[in-house]
Amino acid sequence: RIIKVSDFSVEEIFEKHLYLLIPYYIFNFEKDLSLIEEDEGRMSALAKVYDSIVYRMNEDQENGTLSALSYGVIISMTRKVLSKLTRKHETVHKKVGDSMGGKVLDLPEIRAYHQGKDEGRAEGRAEGRAEGLAEGKEERKELELEIERLRKENELLRKKAE
């Protein structure tokens, strides 16, 4: 079954936690963007829709239904889609884009997430090197024992040959 954004109201998107539809919600208005651009009432109505989306996302983030990382990604993706779709409609682009805000890219939670991820990777690399060194030491010890055994065996064979 094909799911269309137009099949869901903003209310249903939030009730069903279908946040991934939010960036594409503007497509519901695509054919009317020229009319919206020229009509302040329609423009205000569209801006209110996006204000309510941001408000609901903030609520869901605060109550733990939506993670800070998901919030940031959804806002960022929504802004990208809005920017591409409304680039020929300057007023819509500005009004709705303003509703989506600009604080997204610098949320402390997202920075902390990325910092933790980077630290985890660095720690994993360090542990991998340490394990590799430990394994290398064990292999070296085994090789030294094998070389010593072969030397002794070689010495015994030489004595027998004399």
Side-chain angles (χ1 to χ4, degrees):
R1 177 174 187 250
I2 296 175
I3 295 177
K4 296 185 222 170
V5 178
S6 60
D7 292 343
F8 299 94
S9 67
V10 171
E11 190 63 34
E12 288 174 309
I13 288 172
F14 283 95
E15 283 175 8
K16 296 176 180 182
H17 307 289
L18 298 172
Y19 304 111
L20 68 120
L21 297 179
I22 292 170
Y24 308 104
Y25 194 75
I26 189 67
F27 285 107
N28 289 334
F29 306 97
E30 182 178 20
K31 67 179 190 268
D32 297 324
L33 287 176
S34 294
L35 295 172
I36 293 169
E37 179 84 10
E38 297 168 5
D39 184 341
E40 184 57 40
R42 287 182 179 199
M43 178 72 68
S44 293
L46 182 60
K48 283 181 184 177
V49 168
Y50 277 90
D51 287 341
S52 75
I53 287 172
V54 172
Y55 178 81
R56 292 285 303 267
M57 285 177 61
N58 283 325
E59 280 186 330
D60 284 2
Q61 183 188 356
E62 287 173 13
N63 71 28
T65 307
L66 180 65
S67 74
L69 180 62
S70 294
Y71 174 91
V73 169
I74 291 165
I75 294 287
S76 179
M77 290 303 300
T78 302
R79 292 183 83 212
K80 285 179 184 179
V81 172
L82 282 168
S83 178
K84 299 273 189 209
L85 194 64
T86 63
R87 69 176 167 242
K88 293 180 181 175
H89 307 280
E90 192 174 316
T91 309
V92 174
H93 181 82
K94 181 170 177 13
K95 274 259 195 186
V96 178
D98 287 351
S99 294
M100 295 312 294
K103 65 181 180 175
V104 175
L105 303 176
D106 199 28
L107 287 174
E109 295 87 349
I110 293 175
R111 271 185 279 137
Y113 169 80
H114 288 296
Q115 181 182 354
K117 205 161 115 178
D118 292 343
E119 288 172 6
R121 285 185 177 139
E123 188 177 309
R125 284 191 294 272
E127 285 177 11
R129 282 191 296 268
E131 287 174 8
L133 289 173
E135 289 172 7
K137 285 180 183 179
E138 287 178 28
E139 288 176 14
R140 182 177 178 170
K141 194 181 281 186
E142 288 174 15
L143 285 172
E144 287 172 352
L145 290 171
E146 182 65 19
I147 290 170
E148 185 61 32
R149 187 187 67 74
L150 289 171
R151 277 189 192 140
K152 287 179 183 179
E153 193 175 295
N154 192 22
E155 200 175 300
L156 282 172
L157 288 173
R158 195 175 312 155
K159 285 182 182 180
K160 282 185 183 181
E162 295 174 354

